[in-house]
Amino acid sequence: MNTILRFGEMKAEQFIQGVNNNWIVYSPLPYAKQHSSGIDDLVIINGLNTKEIVDADLDVTIDSQYDYVYSISTDNKLKLSFDKSKHTDKSSVVEALKCVAITYALGNLKPNGNYYKVIVRNSLGEEIHRTTPMTLDKVDKVISTFDDTRDVGTSGFLSYQIVHDYIVE
């Protein structure tokens, strides 16, 4: 079974400047089948001219026929590499890719008891927080804490998504 996710729905964890390329590291693909980059081709980045590679090649000169190359290793973190002139900082690449969709294979999902995760998104749909697994009685505390501590000078609204927690087998 496959699922679709936008880059804007994922957390951009790190921006790295290499010798030849820059690359951005995103949080793990939620509930994804374990990947082995450059081998399985189970991840498709829609609308971009890309090629899947191994992690070791993130800073190798990119063939001119591709705009981006990406790697997903066993940690399921997506690493997207590009020529240094394409994006010079984290905000540039995050803004350029926020609406680009990723299609990937889900693992075999087994419900993790009565545990749930809360995903908090800003008004642009970008994930700003994801909790660890918790019971439903703690979910309302997380939501009320976010509502009570939110900086009121920031425009927009927060949305909360409550999802069952799964163990990927």
Side-chain angles (χ1 to χ4, degrees):
M1 181 190 289
N2 289 334
T3 192
I4 299 173
L5 181 70
R6 290 181 301 124
F7 275 102
E9 296 174 290
M10 295 173 46
K11 183 176 182 180
E13 293 184 346
Q14 197 175 13
F15 181 81
I16 299 166
Q17 295 181 320
V19 174
N20 296 302
N21 304 321
N22 292 335
W23 62 94
I24 190 162
V25 179
Y26 284 92
S27 56
L29 296 170
Y31 304 118
K33 179 178 179 181
Q34 188 175 36
H35 292 281
S36 183
S37 197
I39 298 171
D40 56 20
D41 290 322
L42 293 175
V43 175
I44 299 166
I45 298 176
N46 301 302
L48 296 180
N49 191 10
T50 62
K51 177 182 179 184
E52 188 173 2
I53 59 168
V54 295
D55 273 8
D57 290 342
L58 288 169
D59 203 22
V60 174
T61 303
I62 298 171
D63 188 330
S64 62
Q65 67 180 343
Y66 300 106
D67 296 322
Y68 299 89
V69 293
Y70 65 95
S71 173
I72 301 164
S73 53
T74 55
D75 63 3
N76 278 345
K77 289 187 178 189
L78 190 143
K79 300 151 191 106
L80 188 73
S81 180
F82 40 87
D83 187 88
K84 292 181 102 162
S85 63
K86 183 177 288 297
H87 303 290
T88 57
D89 59 23
K90 183 178 179 180
S91 61
S92 167
V93 68
V94 167
E95 180 65 25
L97 298 174
K98 69 182 179 184
C99 293
V100 174
I102 307 155
T103 304
Y104 64 94
L106 290 172
N108 182 25
L109 303 180
K110 176 184 172 191
N112 183 15
N114 291 321
Y115 288 96
Y116 297 83
K117 287 184 181 178
V118 177
I119 302 166
V120 184
R121 298 186 191 283
N122 64 19
S123 58
L124 299 174
E126 299 165 330
E127 181 178 319
I128 60 169
H129 185 75
R130 180 181 296 253
T131 66
T132 57
M134 63 181 57
T135 57
L136 280 175
D137 62 325
K138 294 183 181 178
V139 167
D140 65 340
K141 291 177 183 135
V142 169
I143 292 172
S144 63
T145 300
F146 261 94
D147 285 343
D148 292 343
T149 61
R150 177 129 193 273
D151 177 10
V152 293
T154 305
S155 63
F157 58 89
L158 296 178
S159 63
Y160 301 93
Q161 180 181 14
I162 302 167
V163 295
H164 203 109
D165 186 47
Y166 293 97
I167 299 168
V168 180
E169 294 181 333

